Amino acid sequence: MRHAHENAELLALVRRYVVPERRYLKLGGGLLRMQGPEHDRFTRALREDAELITPHEISTLLEGGWRERRTAAWLIAVSHRTEFRERLGELLLASEVCCAGLAYCVTLAGFGTPRDADLLAAYLERYLRRPDLAYDQTVVMGALVFIDLNLGSDRTAPFLGPDGLWQTWLQDAPHMEHTTNPATCLSLIRRLCAFVEECAEAR
């Protein structure tokens, strides 16, 4: 991981794409509370930056901390740069930083192919076996359900069945139960993917 205060190139990108109007804090559930002029202004700026940022600049942001990675993932989602699919899958699985997993999930769900489902399933295979780690299990499940519904596939079946890893994880991590209804997770992913589509279609 690179730190912006130690790298001039990364610092310049943070100042350009990440921190204006505290963008990195709004990329997530906060988007759903925006209305009127604020929503329009934020959407327009995000769309314009998604078009302008170069692949090299995205790659550089993905080497930074959670703020940089979260922002980069949203810019990837809006510009639909599927060439970053594998990199986002790697970052999701590694879980090196907090607060970026939802952005990866929204992007992969928006891409919505069987390969994206594979990357999400790989995460669940690893982290549903770790009830001690309250990471991004819930939003990953929501993203996988979202892809299942769109593709007519059933990748979630091994996890959500009566003896699946999801139920085992809940039993061993009762502190997570109030946040782990798959329908709730799906609703969040669906609404954020709709924002991505709205942003992209306005180009």
Side-chain angles (χ1 to χ4, degrees), residues 19-199:
V19 299
E21 296 190 18
R22 306 181 80 188
R23 171 185 279 167
Y24 68 93
L25 285 178
K26 299 174 183 177
L27 291 170
L31 294 173
L32 305 178
R33 295 187 290 274
M34 288 186 186
Q35 297 179 350
E38 180 190 18
H39 173 276
D40 296 342
R41 182 175 63 253
F42 188 91
T43 301
R44 182 172 58 254
L46 186 64
R47 179 181 65 249
E48 291 172 353
D49 282 347
E51 293 174 348
L52 289 172
I53 193 168
T54 68
H56 173 74
E57 290 172 333
I58 289 175
S59 295
T60 301
L61 286 176
L62 289 175
E63 295 173 0
W66 71 267
R67 297 168 182 81
E68 295 94 305
R69 295 182 188 192
R70 174 191 278 186
T71 305
W74 274 92
L75 294 171
I76 291 167
V78 172
S79 55
H80 204 76
R81 301 192 197 200
T82 56
E83 65 269 27
F84 285 98
R85 169 185 288 117
E86 299 299 325
R87 180 62 177 141
L88 293 182
E90 292 170 1
L91 291 172
L92 178 64
L93 193 62
S95 290
E96 294 176 328
V97 300
C98 66
C99 305
L102 175 60
Y104 304 151
C105 290
V106 170
T107 306
L108 295 174
F111 292 165
T113 70
R115 179 56 186 158
D116 300 294
D118 289 343
L119 296 171
L120 295 166
Y123 180 94
L124 294 174
E125 284 284 353
R126 175 177 295 185
Y127 288 102
L128 288 180
R129 301 178 191 278
R130 295 295 307 272
D132 58 315
L133 300 178
Y135 282 1
D136 294 301
Q137 292 93 330
T138 59
V139 291
V140 173
M141 180 60 76
L144 189 55
V145 172
F146 181 86
I147 293 177
D148 262 357
L149 290 173
N150 287 337
L151 294 182
S153 55
D154 199 16
R155 295 298 307 277
T156 56
F159 303 111
L160 293 178
D163 299 317
L165 286 174
W166 185 257
Q167 293 302 321
T168 302
W169 180 66
L170 284 183
Q171 291 170 11
D172 295 334
H175 58 288
M176 293 297 295
E177 190 167 1
H178 69 286
T179 64
T180 51
N181 185 328
T184 302
C185 307
L186 170 62
S187 176
L188 175 62
I189 294 295
R190 178 179 284 143
R191 294 169 70 193
L192 291 175
C193 283
F195 176 88
V196 170
E197 290 180 9
E198 175 192 353
C199 195

